[in-house]
Amino acid sequence: MMLPNLPNTLTLFRIAIIPIMIVLFYMNKEMGFWIAAVFFMFACITDFLDGYFARTFKQTTKLGGFLDPIADKLLVASTLLLLVGFDRIRGLSLVPAIIILCREILVSGLREFLAQTQISVPVSQLAKWKTAVQMGAIGLLIAVPESSYFFSLATIGIIGLWVAAILTLVTGYDYLRASYHHMKT
């Protein structure tokens, strides 16, 4: 069996981080959450780097094209669920988390459907900004517990989650609109 190239290794690393994040959350200690936040942010950086290296060194593979979006969605979905389970997202703040999860499922299904018709929908610049805001917000929510202060890092994380949810709705609509004529038949 051939060893995976660097971009694919980075993608597999993002998937491998998920069980580590789970263990760190279940430590239920401030230091565990900070370490989990560092792992999460490192995983976010690898999301950028794997694509960059794949394009720069011409190491794009079918495996990477398949695994990269799955790794991203697994990381985001599992982390959002952990944040909800550990009460770092609750109440009305559940709404943007649900919107983000639903959009991820919708876009995954849409991409799979379009792949069967050999049509690809490129990632838009706005979707890249959505990902950046979403990752930053999630990273803050992992690292910083909710505070009684109105303006805290946790508040910035919640606001970021709402902004990411709005961008999620816009980019999800863009994907649907761009692919609608391929689904009509």
Side-chain angles (χ1 to χ4, degrees):
M1 181 176 149
M2 196 169 113
L3 291 174
N5 61 23
L6 178 60
N8 289 351
T9 301
L10 292 172
T11 299
L12 291 170
F13 173 77
R14 272 201 315 286
I15 294 170
I17 278 193
I18 295 168
I20 296 168
M21 299 264 304
I22 292 168
V23 169
L24 290 167
F25 266 77
Y26 273 95
M27 285 174 54
N28 211 9
K29 304 275 187 222
E30 187 175 336
M31 183 57 71
F33 287 114
W34 274 100
I35 295 169
V38 168
F39 270 99
F40 181 81
M41 295 314 289
F42 187 68
C44 294
I45 292 167
T46 68
D47 182 27
F48 166 77
L49 290 176
D50 68 6
Y52 174 79
F53 289 146
R55 288 184 299 276
T56 301
F57 301 124
K58 296 178 180 34
Q59 292 185 339
T60 57
T61 64
K62 289 181 182 179
L63 177 64
F66 169 74
L67 280 181
D68 182 63
I70 290 173
D72 298 342
K73 285 161 186 37
L74 287 173
L75 181 65
V76 168
S78 61
T79 305
L80 284 174
L81 291 172
L82 285 166
L83 287 167
V84 170
F86 283 83
D87 255 1
R88 294 194 172 233
I89 299 176
R90 63 173 177 257
L92 195 56
S93 299
L94 290 170
V95 172
I98 292 168
I99 289 170
I100 290 168
L101 286 173
C102 288
R103 185 260 190 200
E104 296 299 340
I105 293 166
L106 174 74
V107 169
S108 292
L110 184 60
R111 283 183 182 274
E112 185 175 329
F113 170 78
L114 291 174
Q116 293 171 1
T117 60
Q118 297 184 344
I119 295 165
S120 70
V121 180
V123 176
S124 69
Q125 192 62 40
L126 187 59
K128 290 178 183 180
W129 278 103
K130 182 268 312 172
T131 300
V133 170
Q134 176 180 287
M135 298 299 195
I138 291 172
L140 280 174
L141 292 170
I142 296 168
V144 183
E146 189 174 23
S147 166
S148 60
Y149 299 108
F150 174 73
F151 193 76
S152 67
L153 288 177
T155 303
I156 294 170
I158 293 295
I159 291 168
L161 199 63
W162 278 99
V163 170
I166 291 166
L167 294 174
T168 290
L169 289 172
V170 171
T171 58
Y173 173 75
D174 288 346
Y175 280 122
L176 280 174
R177 190 186 55 178
S179 59
Y180 176 73
H181 68 279
H182 299 291
M183 296 186 292
K184 289 192 293 189
T185 58

